[in-house]
PDB file of all heavy atoms in Angstrom:
ATOM      1  N   ILE A 569       0.828  -1.210   0.000  1.00 98.00           N
ATOM      2  CA  ILE A 569       0.000   0.000   0.000  1.00 98.00           C
ATOM      3  C   ILE A 569       0.861   1.259   0.000  1.00 98.00           C
ATOM      4  O   ILE A 569       0.672   2.160  -0.818  1.00 98.00           O
ATOM      5  CB  ILE A 569      -0.950   0.002   1.224  1.00 98.00           C
ATOM      6  CG1 ILE A 569      -2.081  -1.021   1.026  1.00 98.00           C
ATOM      7  CG2 ILE A 569      -1.540   1.405   1.459  1.00 98.00           C
ATOM      8  CD1 ILE A 569      -2.887  -1.273   2.285  1.00 98.00           C
ATOM      9  N   VAL A 570       1.825   1.335   0.922  1.00 97.00           N
ATOM     10  CA  VAL A 570       2.605   2.570   1.041  1.00 97.00           C
ATOM     11  C   VAL A 570       3.616   2.734  -0.090  1.00 97.00           C
ATOM     12  O   VAL A 570       4.122   3.837  -0.310  1.00 97.00           O
ATOM     13  CB  VAL A 570       3.309   2.680   2.407  1.00 97.00           C
ATOM     14  CG1 VAL A 570       2.300   2.684   3.533  1.00 97.00           C
ATOM     15  CG2 VAL A 570       4.329   1.577   2.599  1.00 97.00           C
ATOM     16  N   ASN A 571       3.900   1.647  -0.819  1.00 96.00           N
ATOM     17  CA  ASN A 571       4.811   1.758  -1.957  1.00 96.00           C
ATOM     18  C   ASN A 571       4.101   2.052  -3.274  1.00 96.00           C
ATOM     19  O   ASN A 571       4.770   2.242  -4.297  1.00 96.00           O
ATOM     20  CB  ASN A 571       5.639   0.469  -2.090  1.00 96.00           C
ATOM     21  CG  ASN A 571       6.769   0.403  -1.076  1.00 96.00           C
ATOM     22  OD1 ASN A 571       7.283   1.435  -0.635  1.00 96.00           O
ATOM     23  ND2 ASN A 571       7.159  -0.800  -0.684  1.00 96.00           N
ATOM     24  N   GLU A 572       2.782   2.078  -3.258  1.00 97.00           N
ATOM     25  CA  GLU A 572       2.057   2.473  -4.468  1.00 97.00           C
ATOM     26  C   GLU A 572       2.345   3.949  -4.747  1.00 97.00           C
ATOM     27  O   GLU A 572       2.266   4.786  -3.843  1.00 97.00           O
ATOM     28  CB  GLU A 572       0.551   2.269  -4.280  1.00 97.00           C
ATOM     29  CG  GLU A 572       0.137   0.797  -4.185  1.00 97.00           C
ATOM     30  CD  GLU A 572      -1.333   0.637  -3.841  1.00 97.00           C
ATOM     31  OE1 GLU A 572      -1.990   1.667  -3.531  1.00 97.00           O
ATOM     32  OE2 GLU A 572      -1.820  -0.509  -3.862  1.00 97.00           O
ATOM     33  N   PRO A 573       2.686   4.305  -5.977  1.00 97.00           N
ATOM     34  CA  PRO A 573       3.045   5.696  -6.297  1.00 97.00           C
ATOM     35  C   PRO A 573       2.006   6.719  -5.847  1.00 97.00           C
ATOM     36  O   PRO A 573       2.363   7.768  -5.293  1.00 97.00           O
ATOM     37  CB  PRO A 573       3.195   5.677  -7.812  1.00 97.00           C
ATOM     38  CG  PRO A 573       3.616   4.273  -8.122  1.00 97.00           C
ATOM     39  CD  PRO A 573       2.862   3.417  -7.147  1.00 97.00           C
ATOM     40  N   ALA A 574       0.720   6.431  -6.058  1.00 96.00           N
ATOM     41  CA  ALA A 574      -0.325   7.388  -5.682  1.00 96.00           C
ATOM     42  C   ALA A 574      -0.381   7.570  -4.172  1.00 96.00           C
ATOM     43  O   ALA A 574      -0.546   8.693  -3.673  1.00 96.00           O
ATOM     44  CB  ALA A 574      -1.678   6.923  -6.211  1.00 96.00           C
ATOM     45  N   MET A 575      -0.240   6.468  -3.421  1.00 97.00           N
ATOM     46  CA  MET A 575      -0.277   6.564  -1.965  1.00 97.00           C
ATOM     47  C   MET A 575       0.962   7.284  -1.446  1.00 97.00           C
ATOM     48  O   MET A 575       0.876   8.120  -0.542  1.00 97.00           O
ATOM     49  CB  MET A 575      -0.380   5.174  -1.336  1.00 97.00           C
ATOM     50  CG  MET A 575      -0.354   5.176   0.203  1.00 97.00           C
ATOM     51  SD  MET A 575      -1.690   6.158   0.952  1.00 97.00           S
ATOM     52  CE  MET A 575      -3.066   4.997   0.774  1.00 97.00           C
ATOM     53  N   ARG A 576       2.133   6.976  -1.989  1.00 95.00           N
ATOM     54  CA  ARG A 576       3.352   7.664  -1.572  1.00 95.00           C
ATOM     55  C   ARG A 576       3.220   9.171  -1.777  1.00 95.00           C
ATOM     56  O   ARG A 576       3.563   9.972  -0.902  1.00 95.00           O
ATOM     57  CB  ARG A 576       4.565   7.150  -2.352  1.00 95.00           C
ATOM     58  CG  ARG A 576       5.062   5.794  -1.913  1.00 95.00           C
ATOM     59  CD  ARG A 576       6.355   5.426  -2.614  1.00 95.00           C
ATOM     60  NE  ARG A 576       7.426   6.334  -2.232  1.00 95.00           N
ATOM     61  CZ  ARG A 576       8.183   6.189  -1.145  1.00 95.00           C
ATOM     62  NH1 ARG A 576       7.961   5.179  -0.319  1.00 95.00           N
ATOM     63  NH2 ARG A 576       9.148   7.045  -0.870  1.00 95.00           N
ATOM     64  N   ALA A 577       2.690   9.555  -2.942  1.00 94.00           N
ATOM     65  CA  ALA A 577       2.526  10.979  -3.235  1.00 94.00           C
ATOM     66  C   ALA A 577       1.559  11.625  -2.257  1.00 94.00           C
ATOM     67  O   ALA A 577       1.793  12.749  -1.775  1.00 94.00           O
ATOM     68  CB  ALA A 577       2.041  11.159  -4.670  1.00 94.00           C
ATOM     69  N   GLN A 578       0.461  10.925  -1.943  1.00 94.00           N
ATOM     70  CA  GLN A 578      -0.532  11.465  -1.009  1.00 94.00           C
ATOM     71  C   GLN A 578       0.057  11.604   0.385  1.00 94.00           C
ATOM     72  O   GLN A 578      -0.137  12.629   1.062  1.00 94.00           O
ATOM     73  CB  GLN A 578      -1.761  10.559  -0.966  1.00 94.00           C
ATOM     74  CG  GLN A 578      -2.871  11.090  -0.055  1.00 94.00           C
ATOM     75  CD  GLN A 578      -4.091  10.180  -0.030  1.00 94.00           C
ATOM     76  OE1 GLN A 578      -4.091   9.094  -0.596  1.00 94.00           O
ATOM     77  NE2 GLN A 578      -5.150  10.621   0.624  1.00 94.00           N
ATOM     78  N   MET A 579       0.800  10.600   0.828  1.00 93.00           N
ATOM     79  CA  MET A 579       1.389  10.639   2.163  1.00 93.00           C
ATOM     80  C   MET A 579       2.419  11.752   2.280  1.00 93.00           C
ATOM     81  O   MET A 579       2.449  12.485   3.274  1.00 93.00           O
ATOM     82  CB  MET A 579       1.998   9.278   2.506  1.00 93.00           C
ATOM     83  CG  MET A 579       0.976   8.172   2.686  1.00 93.00           C
ATOM     84  SD  MET A 579       1.709   6.557   3.060  1.00 93.00           S
ATOM     85  CE  MET A 579       2.240   6.825   4.763  1.00 93.00           C
ATOM     86  N   ILE A 580       3.258  11.888   1.268  1.00 90.00           N
ATOM     87  CA  ILE A 580       4.280  12.939   1.298  1.00 90.00           C
ATOM     88  C   ILE A 580       3.633  14.316   1.309  1.00 90.00           C
ATOM     89  O   ILE A 580       4.074  15.225   2.031  1.00 90.00           O
ATOM     90  CB  ILE A 580       5.242  12.787   0.103  1.00 90.00           C
ATOM     91  CG1 ILE A 580       6.132  11.546   0.320  1.00 90.00           C
ATOM     92  CG2 ILE A 580       6.115  14.025  -0.058  1.00 90.00           C
ATOM     93  CD1 ILE A 580       6.972  11.172  -0.872  1.00 90.00           C
ATOM     94  N   ALA A 581       2.554  14.481   0.532  1.00 87.00           N
ATOM     95  CA  ALA A 581       1.845  15.765   0.517  1.00 87.00           C
ATOM     96  C   ALA A 581       1.280  16.109   1.886  1.00 87.00           C
ATOM     97  O   ALA A 581       1.172  17.292   2.252  1.00 87.00           O
ATOM     98  CB  ALA A 581       0.729  15.741  -0.525  1.00 87.00           C
ATOM     99  N   LEU A 582       0.933  15.086   2.658  1.00 86.00           N
ATOM    100  CA  LEU A 582       0.389  15.293   4.002  1.00 86.00           C
ATOM    101  C   LEU A 582       1.479  15.445   5.062  1.00 86.00           C
ATOM    102  O   LEU A 582       1.193  15.761   6.211  1.00 86.00           O
ATOM    103  CB  LEU A 582      -0.520  14.110   4.383  1.00 86.00           C
ATOM    104  CG  LEU A 582      -1.861  14.015   3.642  1.00 86.00           C
ATOM    105  CD1 LEU A 582      -2.526  12.675   3.931  1.00 86.00           C
ATOM    106  CD2 LEU A 582      -2.779  15.165   4.036  1.00 86.00           C
ATOM    107  N   GLY A 583       2.728  15.181   4.661  1.00 84.00           N
ATOM    108  CA  GLY A 583       3.833  15.307   5.612  1.00 84.00           C
ATOM    109  C   GLY A 583       4.398  14.002   6.100  1.00 84.00           C
ATOM    110  O   GLY A 583       5.358  13.985   6.877  1.00 84.00           O
ATOM    111  N   PHE A 584       3.831  12.872   5.669  1.00 90.00           N
ATOM    112  CA  PHE A 584       4.354  11.562   6.040  1.00 90.00           C
ATOM    113  C   PHE A 584       5.465  11.160   5.074  1.00 90.00           C
ATOM    114  O   PHE A 584       5.390  11.432   3.875  1.00 90.00           O
ATOM    115  CB  PHE A 584       3.268  10.496   5.960  1.00 90.00           C
ATOM    116  CG  PHE A 584       2.124  10.673   6.914  1.00 90.00           C
ATOM    117  CD1 PHE A 584       0.868  11.019   6.441  1.00 90.00           C
ATOM    118  CD2 PHE A 584       2.291  10.476   8.271  1.00 90.00           C
ATOM    119  CE1 PHE A 584      -0.207  11.167   7.304  1.00 90.00           C
ATOM    120  CE2 PHE A 584       1.223  10.623   9.152  1.00 90.00           C
ATOM    121  CZ  PHE A 584      -0.024  10.967   8.658  1.00 90.00           C
ATOM    122  N   GLU A 585       6.466  10.465   5.592  1.00 90.00           N
ATOM    123  CA  GLU A 585       7.488   9.881   4.744  1.00 90.00           C
ATOM    124  C   GLU A 585       7.428   8.372   4.939  1.00 90.00           C
ATOM    125  O   GLU A 585       7.802   7.861   6.001  1.00 90.00           O
ATOM    126  CB  GLU A 585       8.864  10.457   5.093  1.00 90.00           C
ATOM    127  CG  GLU A 585       8.928  11.956   4.835  1.00 90.00           C
ATOM    128  CD  GLU A 585      10.306  12.563   5.018  1.00 90.00           C
ATOM    129  OE1 GLU A 585      11.276  11.787   5.189  1.00 90.00           O
ATOM    130  OE2 GLU A 585      10.403  13.804   4.995  1.00 90.00           O
ATOM    131  N   PRO A 586       6.895   7.631   3.956  1.00 94.00           N
ATOM    132  CA  PRO A 586       6.693   6.180   4.094  1.00 94.00           C
ATOM    133  C   PRO A 586       7.984   5.447   4.436  1.00 94.00           C
ATOM    134  O   PRO A 586       9.023   5.685   3.829  1.00 94.00           O
ATOM    135  CB  PRO A 586       6.172   5.762   2.711  1.00 94.00           C
ATOM    136  CG  PRO A 586       5.553   7.013   2.152  1.00 94.00           C
ATOM    137  CD  PRO A 586       6.419   8.132   2.645  1.00 94.00           C
ATOM    138  N   GLN A 587       7.906   4.534   5.423  1.00 93.00           N
ATOM    139  CA  GLN A 587       9.098   3.816   5.891  1.00 93.00           C
ATOM    140  C   GLN A 587       8.762   2.369   6.254  1.00 93.00           C
ATOM    141  O   GLN A 587       9.080   1.917   7.365  1.00 93.00           O
ATOM    142  CB  GLN A 587       9.691   4.523   7.120  1.00 93.00           C
ATOM    143  CG  GLN A 587      10.147   5.929   6.915  1.00 93.00           C
ATOM    144  CD  GLN A 587      11.493   6.001   6.227  1.00 93.00           C
ATOM    145  OE1 GLN A 587      12.219   5.031   6.172  1.00 93.00           O
ATOM    146  NE2 GLN A 587      11.825   7.158   5.680  1.00 93.00           N
ATOM    147  N   PRO A 588       8.136   1.583   5.389  1.00 97.00           N
ATOM    148  CA  PRO A 588       7.801   0.203   5.776  1.00 97.00           C
ATOM    149  C   PRO A 588       9.050  -0.641   5.984  1.00 97.00           C
ATOM    150  O   PRO A 588      10.085  -0.408   5.351  1.00 97.00           O
ATOM    151  CB  PRO A 588       6.981  -0.295   4.584  1.00 97.00           C
ATOM    152  CG  PRO A 588       7.497   0.495   3.419  1.00 97.00           C
ATOM    153  CD  PRO A 588       7.782   1.871   3.983  1.00 97.00           C
ATOM    154  N   ASN A 589       8.948  -1.619   6.875  1.00 97.00           N
ATOM    155  CA  ASN A 589      10.055  -2.539   7.104  1.00 97.00           C
ATOM    156  C   ASN A 589       9.509  -3.881   7.545  1.00 97.00           C
ATOM    157  O   ASN A 589       8.292  -4.112   7.525  1.00 97.00           O
ATOM    158  CB  ASN A 589      11.055  -1.958   8.110  1.00 97.00           C
ATOM    159  CG  ASN A 589      10.435  -1.632   9.454  1.00 97.00           C
ATOM    160  OD1 ASN A 589       9.270  -1.946   9.712  1.00 97.00           O
ATOM    161  ND2 ASN A 589      11.190  -0.996  10.333  1.00 97.00           N
ATOM    162  N   THR A 590      10.365  -4.802   7.950  1.00 98.00           N
ATOM    163  CA  THR A 590       9.922  -6.124   8.371  1.00 98.00           C
ATOM    164  C   THR A 590       9.528  -6.095   9.846  1.00 98.00           C
ATOM    165  O   THR A 590       9.924  -5.188  10.588  1.00 98.00           O
ATOM    166  CB  THR A 590      11.042  -7.160   8.186  1.00 98.00           C
ATOM    167  OG1 THR A 590      12.112  -6.864   9.110  1.00 98.00           O
ATOM    168  CG2 THR A 590      11.581  -7.147   6.761  1.00 98.00           C
ATOM    169  N   PRO A 591       8.766  -7.101  10.307  1.00 98.00           N
ATOM    170  CA  PRO A 591       8.442  -7.156  11.741  1.00 98.00           C
ATOM    171  C   PRO A 591       9.686  -7.168  12.622  1.00 98.00           C
ATOM    172  O   PRO A 591       9.711  -6.533  13.682  1.00 98.00           O
ATOM    173  CB  PRO A 591       7.650  -8.461  11.867  1.00 98.00           C
ATOM    174  CG  PRO A 591       7.005  -8.630  10.526  1.00 98.00           C
ATOM    175  CD  PRO A 591       8.038  -8.140   9.548  1.00 98.00           C
ATOM    176  N   GLU A 592      10.742  -7.877  12.186  1.00 98.00           N
ATOM    177  CA  GLU A 592      11.967  -7.939  12.968  1.00 98.00           C
ATOM    178  C   GLU A 592      12.668  -6.581  13.024  1.00 98.00           C
ATOM    179  O   GLU A 592      13.162  -6.154  14.075  1.00 98.00           O
ATOM    180  CB  GLU A 592      12.916  -8.988  12.375  1.00 98.00           C
ATOM    181  CG  GLU A 592      12.468 -10.425  12.583  1.00 98.00           C
ATOM    182  CD  GLU A 592      11.297 -10.832  11.687  1.00 98.00           C
ATOM    183  OE1 GLU A 592      11.094 -10.198  10.625  1.00 98.00           O
ATOM    184  OE2 GLU A 592      10.587 -11.784  12.058  1.00 98.00           O
ATOM    185  N   GLU A 593      12.714  -5.906  11.885  1.00 98.00           N
ATOM    186  CA  GLU A 593      13.332  -4.578  11.846  1.00 98.00           C
ATOM    187  C   GLU A 593      12.552  -3.588  12.696  1.00 98.00           C
ATOM    188  O   GLU A 593      13.141  -2.769  13.414  1.00 98.00           O
ATOM    189  CB  GLU A 593      13.410  -4.088  10.399  1.00 98.00           C
ATOM    190  CG  GLU A 593      14.416  -4.835   9.551  1.00 98.00           C
ATOM    191  CD  GLU A 593      14.305  -4.529   8.068  1.00 98.00           C
ATOM    192  OE1 GLU A 593      13.221  -4.077   7.631  1.00 98.00           O
ATOM    193  OE2 GLU A 593      15.288  -4.753   7.344  1.00 98.00           O
ATOM    194  N   PHE A 594      11.235  -3.673  12.634  1.00 98.00           N
ATOM    195  CA  PHE A 594      10.405  -2.768  13.425  1.00 98.00           C
ATOM    196  C   PHE A 594      10.598  -3.048  14.918  1.00 98.00           C
ATOM    197  O   PHE A 594      10.714  -2.124  15.728  1.00 98.00           O
ATOM    198  CB  PHE A 594       8.942  -2.923  13.027  1.00 98.00           C
ATOM    199  CG  PHE A 594       8.005  -1.920  13.651  1.00 98.00           C
ATOM    200  CD1 PHE A 594       8.436  -0.651  14.016  1.00 98.00           C
ATOM    201  CD2 PHE A 594       6.669  -2.240  13.867  1.00 98.00           C
ATOM    202  CE1 PHE A 594       7.571   0.273  14.583  1.00 98.00           C
ATOM    203  CE2 PHE A 594       5.790  -1.330  14.430  1.00 98.00           C
ATOM    204  CZ  PHE A 594       6.240  -0.075  14.800  1.00 98.00           C
ATOM    205  N   GLY A 595      10.669  -4.321  15.293  1.00 97.00           N
ATOM    206  CA  GLY A 595      10.881  -4.676  16.696  1.00 97.00           C
ATOM    207  C   GLY A 595      12.200  -4.136  17.229  1.00 97.00           C
ATOM    208  O   GLY A 595      12.272  -3.613  18.345  1.00 97.00           O
ATOM    209  N   ALA A 596      13.266  -4.243  16.425  1.00 97.00           N
ATOM    210  CA  ALA A 596      14.574  -3.731  16.842  1.00 97.00           C
ATOM    211  C   ALA A 596      14.551  -2.210  16.945  1.00 97.00           C
ATOM    212  O   ALA A 596      15.135  -1.621  17.866  1.00 97.00           O
ATOM    213  CB  ALA A 596      15.647  -4.175  15.842  1.00 97.00           C
ATOM    214  N   PHE A 597      13.853  -1.570  16.023  1.00 95.00           N
ATOM    215  CA  PHE A 597      13.729  -0.106  16.025  1.00 95.00           C
ATOM    216  C   PHE A 597      13.024   0.368  17.291  1.00 95.00           C
ATOM    217  O   PHE A 597      13.443   1.352  17.916  1.00 95.00           O
ATOM    218  CB  PHE A 597      12.955   0.334  14.787  1.00 95.00           C
ATOM    219  CG  PHE A 597      12.596   1.794  14.755  1.00 95.00           C
ATOM    220  CD1 PHE A 597      13.546   2.751  14.429  1.00 95.00           C
ATOM    221  CD2 PHE A 597      11.297   2.215  15.037  1.00 95.00           C
ATOM    222  CE1 PHE A 597      13.218   4.105  14.397  1.00 95.00           C
ATOM    223  CE2 PHE A 597      10.963   3.558  15.006  1.00 95.00           C
ATOM    224  CZ  PHE A 597      11.924   4.500  14.686  1.00 95.00           C
ATOM    225  N   ILE A 598      11.964  -0.323  17.692  1.00 96.00           N
ATOM    226  CA  ILE A 598      11.217   0.048  18.893  1.00 96.00           C
ATOM    227  C   ILE A 598      12.131   0.026  20.123  1.00 96.00           C
ATOM    228  O   ILE A 598      12.115   0.952  20.948  1.00 96.00           O
ATOM    229  CB  ILE A 598      10.024  -0.905  19.105  1.00 96.00           C
ATOM    230  CG1 ILE A 598       8.985  -0.705  17.996  1.00 96.00           C
ATOM    231  CG2 ILE A 598       9.372  -0.662  20.474  1.00 96.00           C
ATOM    232  CD1 ILE A 598       8.003  -1.854  17.875  1.00 96.00           C
ATOM    233  N   LYS A 599      12.932  -1.018  20.247  1.00 95.00           N
ATOM    234  CA  LYS A 599      13.830  -1.125  21.395  1.00 95.00           C
ATOM    235  C   LYS A 599      14.841   0.023  21.411  1.00 95.00           C
ATOM    236  O   LYS A 599      15.155   0.584  22.471  1.00 95.00           O
ATOM    237  CB  LYS A 599      14.545  -2.473  21.369  1.00 95.00           C
ATOM    238  CG  LYS A 599      13.606  -3.654  21.634  1.00 95.00           C
ATOM    239  CD  LYS A 599      14.329  -4.986  21.519  1.00 95.00           C
ATOM    240  CE  LYS A 599      13.366  -6.145  21.765  1.00 95.00           C
ATOM    241  NZ  LYS A 599      14.025  -7.465  21.597  1.00 95.00           N
ATOM    242  N   GLU A 600      15.342   0.394  20.235  1.00 93.00           N
ATOM    243  CA  GLU A 600      16.282   1.518  20.147  1.00 93.00           C
ATOM    244  C   GLU A 600      15.609   2.823  20.561  1.00 93.00           C
ATOM    245  O   GLU A 600      16.208   3.655  21.252  1.00 93.00           O
ATOM    246  CB  GLU A 600      16.812   1.634  18.714  1.00 93.00           C
ATOM    247  CG  GLU A 600      17.721   0.488  18.291  1.00 93.00           C
ATOM    248  CD  GLU A 600      18.038   0.517  16.809  1.00 93.00           C
ATOM    249  OE1 GLU A 600      17.519   1.429  16.111  1.00 93.00           O
ATOM    250  OE2 GLU A 600      18.792  -0.351  16.345  1.00 93.00           O
ATOM    251  N   GLU A 601      14.350   3.003  20.134  1.00 91.00           N
ATOM    252  CA  GLU A 601      13.618   4.227  20.459  1.00 91.00           C
ATOM    253  C   GLU A 601      13.334   4.335  21.954  1.00 91.00           C
ATOM    254  O   GLU A 601      13.362   5.424  22.522  1.00 91.00           O
ATOM    255  CB  GLU A 601      12.307   4.275  19.663  1.00 91.00           C
ATOM    256  CG  GLU A 601      12.478   4.604  18.206  1.00 91.00           C
ATOM    257  CD  GLU A 601      12.833   6.062  17.999  1.00 91.00           C
ATOM    258  OE1 GLU A 601      11.934   6.915  18.067  1.00 91.00           O
ATOM    259  OE2 GLU A 601      14.028   6.357  17.784  1.00 91.00           O
ATOM    260  N   ILE A 602      13.026   3.211  22.586  1.00 93.00           N
ATOM    261  CA  ILE A 602      12.778   3.216  24.031  1.00 93.00           C
ATOM    262  C   ILE A 602      14.006   3.726  24.779  1.00 93.00           C
ATOM    263  O   ILE A 602      13.902   4.552  25.696  1.00 93.00           O
ATOM    264  CB  ILE A 602      12.372   1.807  24.512  1.00 93.00           C
ATOM    265  CG1 ILE A 602      10.964   1.469  23.991  1.00 93.00           C
ATOM    266  CG2 ILE A 602      12.406   1.731  26.041  1.00 93.00           C
ATOM    267  CD1 ILE A 602      10.550   0.024  24.238  1.00 93.00           C
ATOM    268  N   VAL A 603      15.175   3.259  24.385  1.00 92.00           N
ATOM    269  CA  VAL A 603      16.425   3.697  25.016  1.00 92.00           C
ATOM    270  C   VAL A 603      16.674   5.179  24.733  1.00 92.00           C
ATOM    271  O   VAL A 603      16.985   5.963  25.640  1.00 92.00           O
ATOM    272  CB  VAL A 603      17.610   2.849  24.512  1.00 92.00           C
ATOM    273  CG1 VAL A 603      18.927   3.426  25.021  1.00 92.00           C
ATOM    274  CG2 VAL A 603      17.464   1.401  24.963  1.00 92.00           C
ATOM    275  N   LYS A 604      16.526   5.584  23.481  1.00 85.00           N
ATOM    276  CA  LYS A 604      16.792   6.969  23.073  1.00 85.00           C
ATOM    277  C   LYS A 604      15.928   7.959  23.836  1.00 85.00           C
ATOM    278  O   LYS A 604      16.425   8.940  24.405  1.00 85.00           O
ATOM    279  CB  LYS A 604      16.553   7.117  21.572  1.00 85.00           C
ATOM    280  CG  LYS A 604      16.595   8.561  21.076  1.00 85.00           C
ATOM    281  CD  LYS A 604      16.197   8.650  19.609  1.00 85.00           C
ATOM    282  CE  LYS A 604      16.071  10.091  19.151  1.00 85.00           C
ATOM    283  NZ  LYS A 604      15.695  10.184  17.707  1.00 85.00           N
ATOM    284  N   TRP A 605      14.612   7.711  23.860  1.00 84.00           N
ATOM    285  CA  TRP A 605      13.708   8.681  24.473  1.00 84.00           C
ATOM    286  C   TRP A 605      13.736   8.621  25.986  1.00 84.00           C
ATOM    287  O   TRP A 605      13.387   9.590  26.659  1.00 84.00           O
ATOM    288  CB  TRP A 605      12.302   8.525  23.909  1.00 84.00           C
ATOM    289  CG  TRP A 605      12.255   8.997  22.495  1.00 84.00           C
ATOM    290  CD1 TRP A 605      12.236   8.238  21.365  1.00 84.00           C
ATOM    291  CD2 TRP A 605      12.295  10.362  22.053  1.00 84.00           C
ATOM    292  NE1 TRP A 605      12.250   9.037  20.249  1.00 84.00           N
ATOM    293  CE2 TRP A 605      12.283  10.340  20.640  1.00 84.00           C
ATOM    294  CE3 TRP A 605      12.334  11.584  22.705  1.00 84.00           C
ATOM    295  CZ2 TRP A 605      12.312  11.500  19.876  1.00 84.00           C
ATOM    296  CZ3 TRP A 605      12.364  12.746  21.951  1.00 84.00           C
ATOM    297  CH2 TRP A 605      12.355  12.692  20.553  1.00 84.00           C
ATOM    298  N   GLY A 606      14.188   7.492  26.526  1.00 89.00           N
ATOM    299  CA  GLY A 606      14.415   7.435  27.969  1.00 89.00           C
ATOM    300  C   GLY A 606      15.508   8.410  28.375  1.00 89.00           C
ATOM    301  O   GLY A 606      15.393   9.106  29.391  1.00 89.00           O
ATOM    302  N   LYS A 607      16.545   8.499  27.559  1.00 85.00           N
ATOM    303  CA  LYS A 607      17.637   9.441  27.824  1.00 85.00           C
ATOM    304  C   LYS A 607      17.154  10.890  27.675  1.00 85.00           C
ATOM    305  O   LYS A 607      17.534  11.761  28.469  1.00 85.00           O
ATOM    306  CB  LYS A 607      18.792   9.172  26.868  1.00 85.00           C
ATOM    307  CG  LYS A 607      19.502   7.849  27.118  1.00 85.00           C
ATOM    308  CD  LYS A 607      20.612   7.608  26.103  1.00 85.00           C
ATOM    309  CE  LYS A 607      21.328   6.292  26.353  1.00 85.00           C
ATOM    310  NZ  LYS A 607      22.366   6.018  25.317  1.00 85.00           N
ATOM    311  N   VAL A 608      16.316  11.154  26.655  1.00 79.00           N
ATOM    312  CA  VAL A 608      15.795  12.512  26.449  1.00 79.00           C
ATOM    313  C   VAL A 608      14.930  12.939  27.631  1.00 79.00           C
ATOM    314  O   VAL A 608      15.044  14.064  28.134  1.00 79.00           O
ATOM    315  CB  VAL A 608      14.987  12.604  25.142  1.00 79.00           C
ATOM    316  CG1 VAL A 608      14.270  13.948  25.040  1.00 79.00           C
ATOM    317  CG2 VAL A 608      15.900  12.411  23.937  1.00 79.00           C
ATOM    318  N   ALA A 609      14.056  12.029  28.092  1.00 83.00           N
ATOM    319  CA  ALA A 609      13.186  12.344  29.227  1.00 83.00           C
ATOM    320  C   ALA A 609      14.000  12.652  30.472  1.00 83.00           C
ATOM    321  O   ALA A 609      13.686  13.584  31.226  1.00 83.00           O
ATOM    322  CB  ALA A 609      12.216  11.203  29.482  1.00 83.00           C
ATOM    323  N   LYS A 610      15.067  11.887  30.679  1.00 84.00           N
ATOM    324  CA  LYS A 610      15.925  12.118  31.844  1.00 84.00           C
ATOM    325  C   LYS A 610      16.633  13.460  31.745  1.00 84.00           C
ATOM    326  O   LYS A 610      16.692  14.223  32.721  1.00 84.00           O
ATOM    327  CB  LYS A 610      16.943  10.982  31.959  1.00 84.00           C
ATOM    328  CG  LYS A 610      17.814  11.065  33.203  1.00 84.00           C
ATOM    329  CD  LYS A 610      18.737   9.860  33.304  1.00 84.00           C
ATOM    330  CE  LYS A 610      19.590   9.948  34.575  1.00 84.00           C
ATOM    331  NZ  LYS A 610      20.489   8.744  34.695  1.00 84.00           N
ATOM    332  N   THR A 611      17.149  13.764  30.551  1.00 76.00           N
ATOM    333  CA  THR A 611      17.844  15.046  30.343  1.00 76.00           C
ATOM    334  C   THR A 611      16.895  16.210  30.541  1.00 76.00           C
ATOM    335  O   THR A 611      17.279  17.255  31.082  1.00 76.00           O
ATOM    336  CB  THR A 611      18.435  15.096  28.918  1.00 76.00           C
ATOM    337  OG1 THR A 611      19.368  14.019  28.779  1.00 76.00           O
ATOM    338  CG2 THR A 611      19.150  16.418  28.669  1.00 76.00           C
TER     339      THR A 611
END
């Protein structure tokens, strides 16, 4: 869906930048974000 040219154009026009990935990649990304924003909240 997000790689369809019409959808990509619509999302970008709205301010979204499509970034689909695999379940494993998304899971690893979530763990990295938890660590990152924990540091920001503390700071």
Side-chain angles (χ1 to χ4, degrees):
I569 287 169
V570 299
N571 282 332
E572 292 173 352
M575 177 59 78
R576 285 187 65 85
Q578 182 180 6
M579 292 179 73
I580 289 171
L582 289 170
F584 296 110
E585 297 186 9
Q587 299 282 343
N589 58 7
T590 67
E592 289 74 23
E593 290 169 338
F594 187 28
F597 172 77
I598 292 163
K599 291 177 181 177
E600 291 171 359
E601 285 287 282
I602 290 172
V603 172
K604 171 186 173 179
W605 289 103
K607 292 178 180 177
V608 171
K610 185 176 181 179
T611 300

